[in-house]
Amino acid sequence: MTDSCVFYAKTLLSNITDVLTQNQLFTGIDCTKQNVELNMNTNTASVCAPGDSTCSGFTPSQFSQELCLTNIGEDLRYYYQFLAAQPDPDSFLGPTVLLSLKELMENCFSWSLPADSALKKASADHPSTYDERLSLCKVLKGFHVRTITINRAIGFIHSGEDTN
């Protein structure tokens, strides 16, 4: 894991944190009071825990860098496809979260990039509905939590402690 991957992951986390404060993105919704919606198709939190970790009572037997990076890549692909399909008429997501997510994927997880057809925005720049804004809020909150985990895992791998 390179220094640039650490930088791209930190930039992504910063951009997600910033976009979650954009009230215009969630018009009519108090996003801070909404539940978190995580991608449940991966095991990033558990497989990326250091071998000596006892967080939440879970003790992994041995850290697998390959398994951790595979789960991170699958998470990145999931969130990219979800976010690229969201209405973004005011360009809150495209130049910030989607751009930093794409940079992380291109430079550190190139195998996780969706096929070209999946990269095209599924939704035009039409105004979002209440349900779309609510879903976006919940998923972005989940992505924020997952990106914290991703940053910790990338930092751990970058430090070389996983090979000790």
Short mmCIF file of all heavy atoms in Angstrom, two decimals, residues 83-113:
data_model
loop_
_atom_site.label_atom_id
_atom_site.label_comp_id
_atom_site.label_asym_id
_atom_site.label_seq_id
_atom_site.Cartn_x
_atom_site.Cartn_y
_atom_site.Cartn_z
N LEU A 83 -23.65 5.63 -5.71
CA LEU A 83 -23.55 7.08 -5.75
C LEU A 83 -23.61 7.63 -7.18
O LEU A 83 -24.18 8.70 -7.41
CB LEU A 83 -22.27 7.55 -5.05
CG LEU A 83 -22.25 7.29 -3.55
CD1 LEU A 83 -20.86 7.58 -2.98
CD2 LEU A 83 -23.32 8.10 -2.83
N ALA A 84 -23.04 6.92 -8.14
CA ALA A 84 -23.07 7.37 -9.53
C ALA A 84 -24.49 7.38 -10.08
O ALA A 84 -24.79 8.12 -11.02
CB ALA A 84 -22.18 6.49 -10.39
N ALA A 85 -25.37 6.59 -9.49
CA ALA A 85 -26.76 6.51 -9.96
C ALA A 85 -27.67 7.55 -9.30
O ALA A 85 -28.84 7.66 -9.65
CB ALA A 85 -27.31 5.11 -9.69
N GLN A 86 -27.12 8.33 -8.36
CA GLN A 86 -27.95 9.31 -7.65
C GLN A 86 -28.09 10.61 -8.42
O GLN A 86 -27.14 11.06 -9.05
CB GLN A 86 -27.33 9.62 -6.27
CG GLN A 86 -27.23 8.43 -5.36
CD GLN A 86 -28.56 7.74 -5.16
OE1 GLN A 86 -29.52 8.34 -4.69
NE2 GLN A 86 -28.62 6.47 -5.54
N PRO A 87 -29.26 11.23 -8.35
CA PRO A 87 -29.40 12.57 -8.94
C PRO A 87 -28.43 13.53 -8.26
O PRO A 87 -28.28 13.49 -7.04
CB PRO A 87 -30.85 12.96 -8.63
CG PRO A 87 -31.54 11.69 -8.28
CD PRO A 87 -30.49 10.76 -7.73
N ASP A 88 -27.77 14.37 -9.04
CA ASP A 88 -26.79 15.31 -8.48
C ASP A 88 -26.85 16.63 -9.25
O ASP A 88 -25.85 17.10 -9.78
CB ASP A 88 -25.39 14.70 -8.55
CG ASP A 88 -24.35 15.48 -7.76
OD1 ASP A 88 -24.73 16.24 -6.84
OD2 ASP A 88 -23.16 15.32 -8.07
N PRO A 89 -28.04 17.24 -9.30
CA PRO A 89 -28.19 18.45 -10.13
C PRO A 89 -27.33 19.63 -9.64
O PRO A 89 -26.95 20.48 -10.44
CB PRO A 89 -29.68 18.78 -10.04
CG PRO A 89 -30.14 18.13 -8.79
CD PRO A 89 -29.28 16.90 -8.62
N ASP A 90 -27.00 19.65 -8.36
CA ASP A 90 -26.18 20.75 -7.83
C ASP A 90 -24.71 20.38 -7.69
O ASP A 90 -23.93 21.12 -7.09
CB ASP A 90 -26.75 21.20 -6.48
CG ASP A 90 -28.16 21.75 -6.60
OD1 ASP A 90 -28.42 22.51 -7.56
OD2 ASP A 90 -29.00 21.41 -5.75
N SER A 91 -24.33 19.23 -8.22
CA SER A 91 -22.94 18.76 -8.23
C SER A 91 -22.30 18.72 -6.84
O SER A 91 -21.18 19.17 -6.64
CB SER A 91 -22.09 19.63 -9.17
OG SER A 91 -22.57 19.51 -10.49
N PHE A 92 -23.02 18.15 -5.88
CA PHE A 92 -22.45 17.95 -4.55
C PHE A 92 -21.60 16.69 -4.51
O PHE A 92 -20.61 16.62 -3.79
CB PHE A 92 -23.54 17.86 -3.48
CG PHE A 92 -24.17 19.18 -3.15
CD1 PHE A 92 -25.49 19.42 -3.47
CD2 PHE A 92 -23.44 20.18 -2.52
CE1 PHE A 92 -26.08 20.63 -3.17
CE2 PHE A 92 -24.01 21.39 -2.21
CZ PHE A 92 -25.34 21.62 -2.53
N LEU A 93 -22.00 15.67 -5.27
CA LEU A 93 -21.32 14.37 -5.20
C LEU A 93 -20.22 14.22 -6.25
O LEU A 93 -19.13 13.74 -5.92
CB LEU A 93 -22.33 13.23 -5.39
CG LEU A 93 -23.41 13.10 -4.33
CD1 LEU A 93 -24.42 12.03 -4.74
CD2 LEU A 93 -22.81 12.78 -2.98
N GLY A 94 -20.49 14.59 -7.48
CA GLY A 94 -19.57 14.35 -8.59
C GLY A 94 -18.16 14.86 -8.39
O GLY A 94 -17.19 14.10 -8.43
N PRO A 95 -18.00 16.17 -8.17
CA PRO A 95 -16.64 16.72 -8.07
C PRO A 95 -15.96 16.46 -6.74
O PRO A 95 -14.80 16.81 -6.55
CB PRO A 95 -16.85 18.21 -8.29
CG PRO A 95 -18.28 18.48 -7.99
CD PRO A 95 -19.02 17.21 -8.20
N THR A 96 -16.64 15.85 -5.81
CA THR A 96 -16.04 15.61 -4.49
C THR A 96 -15.96 14.12 -4.20
O THR A 96 -14.94 13.48 -4.43
CB THR A 96 -16.84 16.33 -3.38
OG1 THR A 96 -18.20 15.87 -3.40
CG2 THR A 96 -16.81 17.83 -3.55
N VAL A 97 -17.04 13.54 -3.71
CA VAL A 97 -17.04 12.15 -3.28
C VAL A 97 -16.77 11.20 -4.44
O VAL A 97 -15.89 10.33 -4.35
CB VAL A 97 -18.36 11.78 -2.57
CG1 VAL A 97 -18.39 10.30 -2.22
CG2 VAL A 97 -18.55 12.62 -1.31
N LEU A 98 -17.49 11.35 -5.53
CA LEU A 98 -17.30 10.42 -6.66
C LEU A 98 -15.90 10.55 -7.25
O LEU A 98 -15.28 9.54 -7.59
CB LEU A 98 -18.35 10.65 -7.74
CG LEU A 98 -19.67 9.94 -7.50
CD1 LEU A 98 -20.72 10.39 -8.51
CD2 LEU A 98 -19.50 8.43 -7.56
N LEU A 99 -15.40 11.77 -7.36
CA LEU A 99 -14.06 11.96 -7.91
C LEU A 99 -13.00 11.32 -7.01
O LEU A 99 -12.13 10.59 -7.49
CB LEU A 99 -13.76 13.45 -8.11
CG LEU A 99 -12.36 13.77 -8.64
CD1 LEU A 99 -12.17 13.17 -10.03
CD2 LEU A 99 -12.14 15.28 -8.68
N SER A 100 -13.06 11.57 -5.71
CA SER A 100 -12.05 11.00 -4.81
C SER A 100 -12.19 9.48 -4.71
O SER A 100 -11.20 8.76 -4.60
CB SER A 100 -12.09 11.65 -3.44
OG SER A 100 -13.36 11.57 -2.85
N LEU A 101 -13.43 8.98 -4.79
CA LEU A 101 -13.66 7.53 -4.79
C LEU A 101 -13.06 6.91 -6.05
O LEU A 101 -12.36 5.89 -5.98
CB LEU A 101 -15.15 7.24 -4.69
CG LEU A 101 -15.62 5.80 -4.78
CD1 LEU A 101 -14.90 4.90 -3.79
CD2 LEU A 101 -17.13 5.73 -4.55
N LYS A 102 -13.29 7.54 -7.18
CA LYS A 102 -12.75 7.03 -8.45
C LYS A 102 -11.22 7.05 -8.43
O LYS A 102 -10.57 6.11 -8.89
CB LYS A 102 -13.28 7.84 -9.62
CG LYS A 102 -12.89 7.29 -10.97
CD LYS A 102 -13.56 8.07 -12.09
CE LYS A 102 -13.15 7.50 -13.44
NZ LYS A 102 -13.71 8.27 -14.54
N GLU A 103 -10.62 8.12 -7.88
CA GLU A 103 -9.15 8.20 -7.80
C GLU A 103 -8.59 7.08 -6.93
O GLU A 103 -7.58 6.47 -7.28
CB GLU A 103 -8.73 9.56 -7.27
CG GLU A 103 -8.90 10.68 -8.26
CD GLU A 103 -8.58 12.05 -7.69
OE1 GLU A 103 -8.57 12.22 -6.45
OE2 GLU A 103 -8.33 12.96 -8.49
N LEU A 104 -9.23 6.81 -5.81
CA LEU A 104 -8.78 5.72 -4.94
C LEU A 104 -8.88 4.39 -5.67
O LEU A 104 -7.95 3.58 -5.64
CB LEU A 104 -9.60 5.69 -3.64
CG LEU A 104 -9.29 4.56 -2.66
CD1 LEU A 104 -7.84 4.60 -2.17
CD2 LEU A 104 -10.25 4.61 -1.48
N MET A 105 -9.99 4.18 -6.36
CA MET A 105 -10.18 2.93 -7.09
C MET A 105 -9.17 2.79 -8.22
O MET A 105 -8.56 1.73 -8.38
CB MET A 105 -11.61 2.85 -7.62
CG MET A 105 -12.66 2.72 -6.53
SD MET A 105 -14.35 2.92 -7.13
CE MET A 105 -14.60 1.31 -7.89
N GLU A 106 -9.00 3.83 -9.02
CA GLU A 106 -8.09 3.78 -10.17
C GLU A 106 -6.64 3.53 -9.76
O GLU A 106 -5.91 2.80 -10.42
CB GLU A 106 -8.15 5.08 -10.98
CG GLU A 106 -9.39 5.22 -11.83
CD GLU A 106 -9.46 6.57 -12.54
OE1 GLU A 106 -8.73 7.52 -12.16
OE2 GLU A 106 -10.27 6.67 -13.47
N ASN A 107 -6.22 4.16 -8.67
CA ASN A 107 -4.82 4.13 -8.29
C ASN A 107 -4.46 3.02 -7.30
O ASN A 107 -3.28 2.67 -7.19
CB ASN A 107 -4.42 5.48 -7.70
CG ASN A 107 -4.44 6.56 -8.75
OD1 ASN A 107 -3.59 6.58 -9.63
ND2 ASN A 107 -5.43 7.43 -8.70
N CYS A 108 -5.44 2.48 -6.59
CA CYS A 108 -5.11 1.50 -5.55
C CYS A 108 -5.91 0.20 -5.65
O CYS A 108 -5.50 -0.81 -5.09
CB CYS A 108 -5.33 2.13 -4.18
SG CYS A 108 -4.46 3.70 -3.97
N PHE A 109 -7.05 0.24 -6.32
CA PHE A 109 -7.93 -0.93 -6.44
C PHE A 109 -8.47 -1.01 -7.86
O PHE A 109 -9.66 -1.15 -8.07
CB PHE A 109 -9.10 -0.83 -5.45
CG PHE A 109 -8.69 -0.81 -4.01
CD1 PHE A 109 -8.39 0.39 -3.38
CD2 PHE A 109 -8.58 -1.98 -3.29
CE1 PHE A 109 -8.00 0.42 -2.05
CE2 PHE A 109 -8.18 -1.96 -1.96
CZ PHE A 109 -7.89 -0.75 -1.34
N SER A 110 -7.58 -0.93 -8.86
CA SER A 110 -8.02 -0.82 -10.26
C SER A 110 -8.93 -1.97 -10.68
O SER A 110 -9.82 -1.78 -11.50
CB SER A 110 -6.83 -0.70 -11.20
OG SER A 110 -5.99 -1.82 -11.05
N TRP A 111 -8.73 -3.15 -10.10
CA TRP A 111 -9.57 -4.29 -10.45
C TRP A 111 -11.02 -4.09 -10.01
O TRP A 111 -11.92 -4.76 -10.50
CB TRP A 111 -9.02 -5.57 -9.81
CG TRP A 111 -8.94 -5.47 -8.32
CD1 TRP A 111 -7.86 -5.06 -7.59
CD2 TRP A 111 -9.97 -5.75 -7.37
NE1 TRP A 111 -8.16 -5.07 -6.25
CE2 TRP A 111 -9.45 -5.48 -6.08
CE3 TRP A 111 -11.29 -6.18 -7.48
CZ2 TRP A 111 -10.20 -5.64 -4.93
CZ3 TRP A 111 -12.03 -6.35 -6.32
CH2 TRP A 111 -11.49 -6.08 -5.07
N SER A 112 -11.26 -3.15 -9.08
CA SER A 112 -12.61 -2.97 -8.55
C SER A 112 -13.45 -2.00 -9.37
O SER A 112 -14.64 -1.85 -9.11
CB SER A 112 -12.55 -2.48 -7.09
OG SER A 112 -12.09 -1.14 -7.04
N LEU A 113 -12.84 -1.33 -10.34
CA LEU A 113 -13.60 -0.38 -11.15
C LEU A 113 -14.69 -1.10 -11.93
O LEU A 113 -14.44 -2.12 -12.57
CB LEU A 113 -12.68 0.35 -12.13
CG LEU A 113 -11.87 1.50 -11.57
CD1 LEU A 113 -10.80 1.93 -12.56
CD2 LEU A 113 -12.77 2.66 -11.22
#
